[in-house]
Amino acid sequence: MAEPKENVLMEKIVSLCKRRGFIFQSSEIYGGINGFWDYGPLGAELKRNVKELWWNTMTRQRDDVAGLEATIIMSPKIWQASGHVDTFSDPMCDCKGCKKRFRADQIEPQSGIVHRYTGALDLDFLSALDEKYGLGKGVQGSWLEANARHGTLEDLAASQPNLKPAIDEILSTEKQRGKSFEPFSVLLPAGKPAESAKVKAQQFYKNRGLKNPEPFSPTTEKVESTTRFCNECGSELTEPKPFNLMFKTYVGPVADEENVAYLRPETAQAIFAQFKNVLETSRQRVPFGIAQVGKAFRNEVTPRNFTFRSREFEQMELEFFIKPDEVVEAICGRVAPAAEISKPESEQRAASVSLADPSSISYAGKMPAARSDWGWEAWHKYWVEERIAFYEGIGLSRATLEEYWQKPEELAHYARACVDILFKFPFGTQELEGIAARSDFDLSQHERFSGKPMGVFDEELRAAWGKLPKEKSDELWRRYYENRKKYLVKMGVEAEQATKDATEDANGLAKGQYIPHVIEPSAGVDRLILALITNAYSEVTETDDKGKTNTRVIMKFHPRVAPIKAGVMPLLKNKPELVKKAIEVRDRLRPWMNVFYDDGGSIGRRYARQDEAGTPFCVTIDFDTLGEKPELKDTVTVRYRDDGRQERMAISELLNWLLPKVR
Amino acid sequence: MAEPKENVLMEKIVSLCKRRGFIFQSSEIYGGINGFWDYGPLGAELKRNVKELWWNTMTRQRDDVAGLEATIIMSPKIWQASGHVDTFSDPMCDCKGCKKRFRADQIEPQSGIVHRYTGALDLDFLSALDEKYGLGKGVQGSWLEANARHGTLEDLAASQPNLKPAIDEILSTEKQRGKSFEPFSVLLPAGKPAESAKVKAQQFYKNRGLKNPEPFSPTTEKVESTTRFCNECGSELTEPKPFNLMFKTYVGPVADEENVAYLRPETAQAIFAQFKNVLETSRQRVPFGIAQVGKAFRNEVTPRNFTFRSREFEQMELEFFIKPDEVVEAICGRVAPAAEISKPESEQRAASVSLADPSSISYAGKMPAARSDWGWEAWHKYWVEERIAFYEGIGLSRATLEEYWQKPEELAHYARACVDILFKFPFGTQELEGIAARSDFDLSQHERFSGKPMGVFDEELRAAWGKLPKEKSDELWRRYYENRKKYLVKMGVEAEQATKDATEDANGLAKGQYIPHVIEPSAGVDRLILALITNAYSEVTETDDKGKTNTRVIMKFHPRVAPIKAGVMPLLKNKPELVKKAIEVRDRLRPWMNVFYDDGGSIGRRYARQDEAGTPFCVTIDFDTLGEKPELKDTVTVRYRDDGRQERMAISELLNWLLPKVR
């Protein structure tokens, strides 16, 4: 479906992205490739900053998360266990007329008159029969007349016995070959001449191998809002068939079923598959998480909304493994209600960093400290708050975001809850990130499919279980057992086996064993970049001395994500002392941040260029810097992108002043 | 080919990588997938550090390089232009016996006796013929006798005319069907009974559809060092056929030839395809470069040497675009000889950084400043030196590296020179990076295939050209023309057209137009990681109080790449004051570097764990830190990984002391 033309803001953004080198169409010189986008110099920096901030916040700044970087191509068995091979698909229809393929759930309803054909005969074939049986124009002529009256071949044979042998031959050969007797229908908008339906039918039967097809006279019917016909040519669509969205390839020199592999459609599954390896090598214990950033691929049938839904994209996913509630209760005697988890204090989290007092950066530690009595609801709420705070920290205020708590009927069968964090894009309010409580589904699936144990041993649980009153341990045992059994039955394990396995699983509790549950904050990098660009986009209209007005773009990125942190500019290009000093300033800042040195054009134009690139600060070296006014020697002008205000600052203070703002 | 078992060091490294979470086999719980490796928590940090340092050094710290992040799946036309569709292949043979596929250039030569069969007859078919023609055991029996004497069917028909009709039927039907008369041969090692060759031949003809095959009596021949037979079963191999190493998939809902796409086998081509977009949006002018880091995929037939040759890997590539020598000469009057490019002063480049004097980091500026009279040889030499300096800066000394200048006959046809930077791996001295002078081949190919101009306009050239003496401009015109023509002819453009196009290209010089040449430093991330791990690996054997010796591993990573920069440890876990202070220290360092907090086990064991992880410094908080000795209050012990020495330091100085070492 085409984007609405009226979305002027989106058009401006796409155009700016190309003009300033944020985002290009992939393979543009070859006409592009639908659903693939490249990041140019500014876009690549913006994306690196976002990924780096996520990794820092989620991994390096925490004791309880370890990183992973797994391959895009993995064993195909992973996608059997995850369910992607069987169910990660869109329903697709083919048009029987123009042969185009469509997503069944994206067909626009249409109304009009359906012309239904039950078949067609090949007039050339009829002529040949007439010749063979010496009937003159007998069969062809008579049938054309009969057909005009909706008569059938059988009627014709009954009424004109001399034609019977020829008609029998038609019925036996053509019916066998199935070329002629295939039904076909076309939808015509009310008022369109019936002849155009016949033309389409003729083409349809031609494609089936009839040389000169004459369709049987159609029946017609008025229909409203049907989605069974092609939106482009009106022909009938095939029944929807599932089309798997994973890109498929073959690994190794032989392209057969044994060597099929898929490009991962999400990064999460690698985390589950390597759960035990990470647990065993990282000195982590549940609760803890594994974080990964990386590319994923989905063969979307209709990529759309610029980079929002593309076929190659990047994800930032955390799988945070927690104790099942029964285990928490066994150890702590209670499970904390989610209401006890208070929101973080955003102001504190955004605290700045200074080189003079380097410990002043403090990403971590502002959220309530995790407590051992947190069950899945508390952890889920914690991660929702944590993630929103992340977005706030890079410039997406709460006002630009929405929290959407999925309704029970919307949840995947294994999910206990899922919150979508939405952003108000120009094309609609859409998901940036989903935070799902996925129970123990994923690890359980991989345990069953790989035959490798995915559970953990928890000494604290073992010790606590031994001390529980019998009615308590029975109750917890029962709840754990019921959950396990419900999962197994849902997965198709037969009742008897499910009872046996669930019993064994629940018996594990007393030995300190369980399969961890998981909370999954899963964010899309590309859609976040698009949100940041949308959020930053602003225009300012200025009037110059001559009264000419000019509208220009200012990209108001948060300094933390801005591709360039500071523009460094000598006032004039042709004064070597200014240039030398400017290069000194550049080299002083550069080891700590991305700076852009620019000496081309008027200073106003250079500022405007940096505004459009989203550079939060420009530093100008002028004659005062060189000591023209002695009291200003070795000071520079710092100009603020968002309001154009300027202030004078000593070069020696510059880095310490900038650094807390851009980190 | 299996790795030599005696490579003990390699085995130790693979085992350490798994044990400590540097590198895991991809999809290990499902038995793995050959040629794919995952990076665990420590590996992921190591890899991030390396990529970040490369990006910083190559892009952010320079004015003359812009970044790019393009997609893995691009238009397939890119791979036609680059030549990958036609020529990026290995020669492969199939075994006619066991059906396995092998790289033709990796077949081990074998000697022995070849048994050559020209065909086989189906004894069941012969019996049926005897019955049909009422010949008793006539055909079957007579032919078995004749075959034992190497007699042919034709001989048999001539000598026993009564068998002729049956034999004619054999020749007409079996020959037509081609089941029987297909040659087949087997190599047997000298001394092996001939019967085993016959068994293989019978199997071969069975696979072709004969129910009960009796091969024609074979001829035999002694052969030496042949590579035409299967190394596993001895059967004949098919002729080598090219097998393309690109992974293939289909984009969009229809899997047909129109929708074929490939996973990129290198990141470089995206840079060429987006050259003009980057040029136009980044305010760069030739000479300048475009840098990219990202995944690439090659369907290697025999992935090997751990992560060195894998099917999914990551590259760090720079394409540095320069003026052709003729242009340099037109502008500057000369092209500087490469000998004028001196080596950088390594000590200066490794200069440390300090927070107190933040400008003390200085990645850039130590190499000789680029001069406008540099031609391709000077730029090539510059980048070789620059890249070696990079490796030195992350701990690979010149002694561990080798420079290999490819010989003229080894160069790709478009390359003017190529230097491989090699590292001494345990399995041999192998390439880490190649630095190639690729002429204007790549941009020219994309210009021809896309029909989009890839040249640049250079005002300086236009101005200079107008002032050249005629004999000079004629000479430069001629050289440029000859180079262009040579390229065009090599690419199959017919002579007349090539002359015309080359003339037009050379005429462009006067208008300031040319296609840039390129120098390409192309490094593999995964092999660099493996080199860093190999280089860091060291063992120390210690004897404890009781005389027991123990050998343990110390990973001596350069602090810049070390996954964890500092371990932070309270002396005892059960003293809340120590723990509180340790957490304060952790939180002071953490915003600036990856630290690991560890309070489990004896301090000696914790040090040993960090040594194995390659953590260069450990910081211990003890009772003196709390003020047990008042003069030591708020000081900590810093322990060095490589020699175990310790020193006392104020907490307030710690960050400023560490930061220059790890950045």
Side-chain angles (χ1 to χ4, degrees):
Chain A
M1 281 171 292
E3 261 109 79
K5 281 278 193 305
E6 60 274 21
N7 202 328
V8 176
L9 174 57
M10 206 56 215
E11 277 177 22
K12 284 179 173 178
I13 285 172
V14 172
S15 147
L16 173 93
C17 282
K18 153 105 184 170
R19 186 171 79 247
R20 287 312 312 255
F22 283 100
I23 300 172
F24 306 129
Q25 199 182 9
S26 168
S27 316
E28 192 190 298
I29 58 171
Y30 292 101
I33 173 168
N34 190 12
F36 296 87
W37 300 93
D38 290 353
Y39 290 84
L42 290 181
E45 287 293 339
L46 179 60
K47 204 172 168 205
R48 289 187 85 83
N49 291 341
V50 165
K51 289 190 282 182
E52 194 68 17
L53 281 166
W54 187 91
W55 185 265
N56 260 327
T57 307
M58 302 295 269
T59 305
R60 288 184 177 169
Q61 300 301 323
R62 303 182 63 104
D63 281 332
D64 59 357
V65 176
L68 180 70
E69 197 186 310
T71 51
I72 289 169
I73 293 179
M74 302 190 283
S75 165
K77 291 173 194 156
I78 286 178
W79 308 112
Q80 283 159 15
S82 69
H84 284 82
V85 169
D86 290 336
T87 61
F88 190 60
S89 54
D90 279 341
M92 300 293 294
C93 297
D94 292 321
C95 172
K96 291 187 179 178
C98 64
K99 301 288 178 196
K100 289 206 180 122
R101 188 165 273 188
F102 301 92
R103 257 182 71 170
D105 53 352
Q106 289 179 351
I107 307 289
E108 307 252 6
Q110 299 175 92
S111 301
I113 310 293
V114 179
H115 293 242
R116 290 189 210 285
Y117 298 87
T118 54
L121 290 184
D122 187 346
L123 295 181
D124 289 3
F125 179 50
L126 298 190
S127 301
L129 287 176
D130 281 336
E131 196 160 322
K132 177 173 172 186
Y133 290 95
L135 295 168
K137 281 271 175 194
V139 173
Q140 202 197 77
S142 308
W143 178 71
L144 281 170
E145 278 168 33
N147 188 35
R149 300 187 314 263
H150 292 264
T152 65
L153 279 170
E154 287 82 355
D155 295 343
L156 190 60
S159 64
Q160 298 194 40
N162 65 318
L163 302 181
K164 194 166 182 299
I167 287 174
D168 283 349
E169 187 168 339
I170 298 170
L171 289 170
S172 66
T173 58
E174 288 298 275
K175 215 160 208 165
Q176 257 173 18
R177 287 193 288 171
K179 280 193 212 166
S180 281
F181 294 86
E182 174 75 14
F184 174 72
S185 44
V186 190
L187 180 75
L188 291 190
K192 209 167 174 195
E195 185 60 24
S196 70
K198 188 176 171 188
V199 170
K200 289 215 190 309
Q202 280 172 320
Q203 189 54 52
F204 172 78
Y205 292 105
K206 241 181 208 165
N207 290 343
R208 294 181 67 81
L210 303 193
K211 285 208 184 96
N212 184 8
E214 178 67 22
F216 298 153
S217 286
T219 58
T220 58
E221 186 193 351
K222 203 173 157 183
V223 296
E224 297 283 339
S225 299
T226 172
T227 55
R228 297 296 308 122
F229 295 88
C230 178
N231 285 148
E232 298 192 11
C233 80
S235 298
E236 185 185 353
L237 299 170
T238 59
E239 286 299 313
K241 269 199 285 193
F243 166 74
N244 198 295
L245 296 183
M246 289 193 291
F247 284 102
K248 188 171 158 179
T249 190
Y250 298 95
V251 172
V254 185
D256 63 11
E257 277 310 299
E258 230 172 276
N259 297 307
V260 164
Y262 303 97
L263 306 194
R264 65 180 176 200
E266 60 172 42
T267 59
Q269 293 303 322
I271 296 178
F272 298 123
Q274 293 289 17
F275 168 70
K276 288 303 275 283
N277 268 336
V278 173
L279 178 69
E280 281 157 16
T281 61
S282 67
R283 295 187 60 70
Q284 293 285 359
R285 282 162 61 196
V286 175
F288 81 103
I290 304 177
Q292 183 170 222
V293 176
K295 288 266 174 114
F297 297 78
R298 294 181 188 177
N299 196 1
E300 296 285 351
V301 176
T302 45
R304 61 196 175 280
N305 291 328
F306 197 26
T307 57
F308 183 82
R309 190 170 301 278
S310 56
R311 285 169 167 156
E312 177 174 338
F313 53 98
E314 198 150 8
Q315 293 187 305
M316 307 185 288
E317 294 196 304
L318 172 70
E319 304 300 327
F320 196 82
F321 300 96
I322 57 173
K323 296 178 167 80
D325 280 9
E326 297 78 25
V327 171
V328 173
E329 198 171 333
I331 295 172
C332 301
R334 78 190 282 261
V335 174
E340 287 181 17
I341 317 304
S342 57
K343 292 197 179 184
E345 296 154 47
S346 312
E347 292 71 26
Q348 282 190 44
R349 293 178 55 91
S352 64
V353 51
S354 128
L355 272 178
D357 174 14
S359 65
S360 58
I361 306 187
S362 194
Y363 297 104
K366 299 302 177 201
M367 282 291 286
R371 291 195 333 231
S372 54
D373 65 354
W374 283 6
W376 73 262
E377 282 183 298
W379 273 115
H380 185 235
K381 188 166 172 205
Y382 167 87
W383 278 112
V384 172
E385 290 303 328
E386 188 70 32
R387 295 301 304 143
I388 289 177
F390 174 81
Y391 291 117
E392 288 183 294
I394 57 175
L396 300 181
S397 68
R398 278 204 191 230
T400 67
L401 302 174
E402 266 179 34
E403 255 177 68
Y404 178 76
W405 288 73
Q406 288 188 13
K407 300 188 183 71
E409 66 272 22
E410 294 171 316
L411 291 172
H413 67 83
Y414 48 80
R416 300 231 167 135
C418 187
V419 172
D420 294 336
I421 298 177
L422 313 174
F423 176 79
K424 289 161 193 151
F425 287 100
F427 45 81
T429 300
Q430 297 268 5
E431 185 187 345
L432 277 187
E433 167 156 358
I435 299 149
R438 297 174 63 91
S439 76
D440 56 4
F441 175 75
D442 306 279
L443 291 180
S444 300
Q445 285 292 96
H446 287 294
E447 177 167 295
R448 289 199 307 122
F449 277 75
S450 71
K452 301 284 188 333
M454 285 288 165
V456 299
F457 168 71
D458 186 329
E459 175 53 38
E460 241 186 323
L461 168 63
R462 204 187 57 80
W465 196 269
K467 292 176 196 149
L468 287 178
K470 182 156 189 326
E471 59 277 31
K472 190 70 186 172
S473 62
D474 282 355
E475 182 214 327
L476 295 176
W477 188 99
R478 172 64 49 186
R479 269 162 49 199
Y480 193 83
Y481 165 85
E482 294 295 353
N483 283 332
R484 292 299 299 165
K485 189 170 166 191
K486 200 171 128 196
Y487 154 75
L488 290 164
V489 168
K490 200 128 206 166
M491 289 298 103
V493 176
E494 61 168 43
E496 198 181 336
Q497 187 66 38
T499 302
K500 201 169 146 252
D501 291 351
T503 303
E504 204 177 295
D505 291 342
N507 288 344
L509 294 174
K511 294 178 242 161
Q513 286 163 349
Y514 61 86
I515 294 187
H517 284 226
V518 73
I519 307 291
E520 178 189 84
S522 165
V525 180
D526 307 83
R527 43 185 66 181
L528 175 50
I529 298 299
L530 189 54
L532 291 171
I533 288 175
T534 304
N535 190 59
Y537 188 92
S538 63
E539 293 178 351
V540 62
T541 302
E542 291 157 334
T543 310
D544 69 10
D545 310 345
K546 294 158 198 151
K548 201 180 142 200
T549 63
N550 173 39
T551 297
R552 60 187 188 85
V553 174
I554 304 181
M555 294 299 288
K556 297 187 174 175
F557 292 119
H558 190 291
R560 281 191 186 133
V561 297
I564 302 168
K565 308 304 185 189
V568 178
M569 307 167 176
L571 187 62
L572 297 172
K573 184 184 188 168
N574 52 6
K575 296 285 168 195
E577 310 87 325
L578 288 177
V579 169
K580 183 164 174 276
K581 202 68 178 176
I583 286 177
E584 270 174 46
V585 171
R586 178 198 72 183
D587 290 345
R588 180 178 275 262
L589 301 181
R590 186 168 263 175
W592 299 91
M593 64 189 70
N594 198 32
V595 300
F596 190 84
Y597 178 83
D598 191 359
D599 59 13
S602 78
I603 197 79
R605 283 189 59 184
R606 282 182 268 165
Y607 286 155
R609 279 201 293 264
Q610 291 307 313
D611 286 348
E612 219 180 31
T615 308
F617 307 103
C618 283
V619 177
T620 306
I621 289 78
D622 56 20
F623 291 104
D624 286 339
T625 314
L626 302 178
E628 205 165 87
K629 286 199 193 106
E631 70 277 18
L632 293 181
K633 186 166 184 348
D634 285 328
T635 64
V636 289
T637 298
V638 174
R639 174 186 174 273
Y640 290 75
R641 172 195 63 201
D642 294 353
D643 53 13
R645 102 190 111 98
Q646 305 196 353
E647 62 187 81
R648 201 81 198 173
M649 193 176 300
I651 291 174
S652 59
E653 283 168 22
L654 191 58
L655 178 64
N656 271 314
W657 183 87
L658 278 172
L659 207 49
K661 297 186 170 49
V662 303
R663 272 181 73 107
Chain B
M1 282 171 289
E3 260 109 81
K5 280 280 191 306
E6 60 274 24
N7 203 328
V8 176
L9 174 57
M10 206 55 215
E11 278 178 20
K12 283 178 173 178
I13 285 173
V14 172
S15 146
L16 174 93
C17 282
K18 152 104 184 168
R19 185 172 79 246
R20 286 312 310 258
F22 283 100
I23 300 171
F24 306 128
Q25 199 181 8
S26 167
S27 316
E28 190 190 300
I29 59 171
Y30 292 102
I33 172 166
N34 192 12
F36 296 86
W37 300 93
D38 290 353
Y39 290 84
L42 290 181
E45 287 293 340
L46 179 59
K47 205 173 168 205
R48 288 187 87 82
N49 291 341
V50 165
K51 288 190 281 183
E52 193 67 16
L53 282 165
W54 187 91
W55 185 265
N56 260 327
T57 308
M58 303 294 269
T59 305
R60 289 184 177 170
Q61 301 300 323
R62 303 182 63 104
D63 281 330
D64 60 356
V65 176
L68 179 70
E69 197 186 309
T71 51
I72 289 168
I73 293 179
M74 301 189 285
S75 165
K77 290 173 195 157
I78 286 179
W79 308 112
Q80 283 159 15
S82 69
H84 284 83
V85 169
D86 289 336
T87 61
F88 190 61
S89 55
D90 280 340
M92 301 292 295
C93 296
D94 291 321
C95 173
K96 292 187 178 178
C98 66
K99 303 287 176 196
K100 288 204 181 121
R101 188 163 273 189
F102 301 92
R103 257 181 71 170
D105 54 352
Q106 290 179 350
I107 308 289
E108 307 253 5
Q110 301 175 92
S111 301
I113 309 293
V114 178
H115 291 244
R116 291 190 209 285
Y117 298 90
T118 54
L121 290 183
D122 187 347
L123 295 182
D124 289 2
F125 178 50
L126 298 191
S127 301
L129 287 177
D130 281 335
E131 198 160 321
K132 175 174 175 187
Y133 291 94
L135 296 167
K137 280 272 173 196
V139 173
Q140 200 196 78
S142 307
W143 178 72
L144 282 170
E145 275 169 36
N147 187 36
R149 297 186 316 266
H150 291 265
T152 66
L153 278 170
E154 287 82 355
D155 295 342
L156 191 61
S159 64
Q160 299 194 37
N162 64 317
L163 302 182
K164 195 165 180 298
I167 286 172
D168 284 348
E169 186 168 342
I170 297 169
L171 289 170
S172 65
T173 58
E174 289 298 276
K175 218 160 206 165
Q176 255 175 16
R177 288 193 286 172
K179 279 192 211 167
S180 281
F181 294 86
E182 172 76 14
F184 175 72
S185 47
V186 189
L187 179 75
L188 292 188
K192 208 167 174 194
E195 184 58 22
S196 70
K198 186 176 171 187
V199 170
K200 289 217 190 310
Q202 281 174 320
Q203 189 55 52
F204 172 78
Y205 292 105
K206 239 182 208 165
N207 290 342
R208 293 182 65 81
L210 302 193
K211 285 209 183 97
N212 185 9
E214 178 69 20
F216 299 151
S217 285
T219 58
T220 60
E221 184 193 352
K222 204 173 156 182
V223 296
E224 297 283 339
S225 300
T226 172
T227 56
R228 298 294 310 125
F229 295 89
C230 178
N231 286 149
E232 297 193 11
C233 81
S235 298
E236 184 184 353
L237 298 170
T238 60
E239 285 301 312
K241 268 199 284 194
F243 166 74
N244 198 295
L245 297 183
M246 289 193 291
F247 285 102
K248 188 171 158 179
T249 190
Y250 298 95
V251 171
V254 185
D256 62 13
E257 277 311 298
E258 229 173 278
N259 297 306
V260 164
Y262 304 97
L263 307 193
R264 65 180 175 200
E266 59 172 44
T267 59
Q269 293 304 322
I271 295 178
F272 299 122
Q274 293 289 16
F275 168 70
K276 287 303 275 284
N277 268 336
V278 174
L279 178 69
E280 282 157 17
T281 61
S282 68
R283 295 186 60 69
Q284 293 286 357
R285 282 163 59 197
V286 175
F288 81 102
I290 305 177
Q292 181 170 226
V293 176
K295 288 266 175 115
F297 297 78
R298 294 181 188 177
N299 196 2
E300 296 284 350
V301 176
T302 45
R304 59 196 177 279
N305 290 330
F306 197 25
T307 57
F308 183 83
R309 189 170 301 278
S310 55
R311 286 171 167 155
E312 176 174 337
F313 53 98
E314 199 150 7
Q315 292 187 306
M316 307 185 288
E317 293 195 305
L318 171 70
E319 304 300 328
F320 196 81
F321 300 96
I322 57 173
K323 297 178 166 81
D325 279 10
E326 296 79 26
V327 172
V328 172
E329 200 172 331
I331 295 172
C332 301
R334 79 191 282 259
V335 173
E340 287 181 16
I341 317 304
S342 58
K343 291 197 178 184
E345 298 154 47
S346 312
E347 290 71 25
Q348 281 189 44
R349 293 178 54 90
S352 64
V353 51
S354 127
L355 272 179
D357 174 13
S359 66
S360 58
I361 307 186
S362 193
Y363 297 102
K366 297 303 177 201
M367 282 290 286
R371 292 195 332 232
S372 54
D373 65 354
W374 283 7
W376 74 263
E377 281 182 298
W379 274 114
H380 186 234
K381 188 165 173 208
Y382 167 86
W383 279 112
V384 172
E385 291 303 328
E386 188 68 33
R387 296 301 304 145
I388 289 176
F390 174 81
Y391 291 118
E392 288 183 294
I394 56 173
L396 300 181
S397 69
R398 279 205 189 231
T400 67
L401 303 173
E402 266 179 35
E403 254 177 70
Y404 178 76
W405 289 72
Q406 288 188 15
K407 298 185 186 71
E409 66 272 21
E410 293 170 317
L411 290 173
H413 65 85
Y414 48 80
R416 300 229 166 138
C418 188
V419 172
D420 295 336
I421 299 177
L422 313 174
F423 176 79
K424 290 162 191 150
F425 287 100
F427 46 79
T429 299
Q430 298 267 6
E431 184 186 344
L432 275 187
E433 169 156 356
I435 299 149
R438 295 173 65 89
S439 74
D440 57 5
F441 175 77
D442 305 281
L443 291 180
S444 301
Q445 285 290 98
H446 287 294
E447 176 167 295
R448 290 200 305 122
F449 277 74
S450 71
K452 301 284 187 337
M454 285 288 165
V456 299
F457 168 72
D458 187 328
E459 175 53 39
E460 241 186 324
L461 168 63
R462 204 188 56 81
W465 196 268
K467 293 177 198 148
L468 287 179
K470 180 155 192 325
E471 57 276 32
K472 191 68 188 173
S473 62
D474 282 356
E475 182 213 327
L476 295 175
W477 188 99
R478 172 64 50 186
R479 268 162 49 198
Y480 193 82
Y481 165 84
E482 293 294 351
N483 283 332
R484 292 298 300 165
K485 188 169 168 192
K486 200 170 127 197
Y487 154 74
L488 291 163
V489 168
K490 199 127 208 167
M491 289 299 104
V493 176
E494 60 167 43
E496 198 181 337
Q497 187 66 40
T499 303
K500 199 169 148 254
D501 292 352
T503 302
E504 201 175 299
D505 291 343
N507 288 344
L509 293 174
K511 294 177 241 162
Q513 287 163 349
Y514 60 87
I515 295 186
H517 284 225
V518 72
I519 307 290
E520 176 191 84
S522 165
V525 181
D526 308 83
R527 42 186 66 182
L528 175 51
I529 298 298
L530 189 55
L532 291 171
I533 288 175
T534 305
N535 189 59
Y537 189 91
S538 63
E539 293 178 351
V540 61
T541 301
E542 291 157 334
T543 309
D544 69 9
D545 310 346
K546 293 159 198 149
K548 206 182 138 196
T549 64
N550 173 40
T551 297
R552 61 187 187 84
V553 174
I554 304 181
M555 293 300 287
K556 297 185 173 175
F557 291 118
H558 191 291
R560 281 192 186 132
V561 296
I564 303 167
K565 308 305 184 187
V568 177
M569 307 167 177
L571 186 63
L572 298 171
K573 180 185 191 167
N574 54 4
K575 296 286 171 193
E577 308 89 324
L578 288 178
V579 169
K580 182 162 174 277
K581 202 72 181 173
I583 286 178
E584 270 175 47
V585 171
R586 178 197 72 183
D587 290 345
R588 180 179 275 261
L589 301 181
R590 185 167 265 174
W592 299 91
M593 64 189 71
N594 197 31
V595 300
F596 190 84
Y597 178 83
D598 191 0
D599 61 11
S602 79
I603 197 79
R605 284 191 56 185
R606 282 182 269 166
Y607 286 156
R609 279 201 294 262
Q610 291 307 313
D611 287 348
E612 221 180 29
T615 308
F617 307 104
C618 283
V619 177
T620 306
I621 289 80
D622 57 18
F623 291 104
D624 287 339
T625 314
L626 302 180
E628 204 167 87
K629 285 199 195 109
E631 70 277 18
L632 293 181
K633 188 165 183 341
D634 285 328
T635 65
V636 289
T637 299
V638 174
R639 174 187 173 272
Y640 291 76
R641 172 195 65 200
D642 294 353
D643 54 12
R645 101 189 114 99
Q646 305 195 353
E647 62 187 79
R648 201 79 199 175
M649 193 175 298
I651 290 174
S652 58
E653 284 169 22
L654 191 58
L655 179 63
N656 269 315
W657 182 87
L658 278 171
L659 207 49
K661 296 184 171 54
V662 303
R663 272 181 76 106

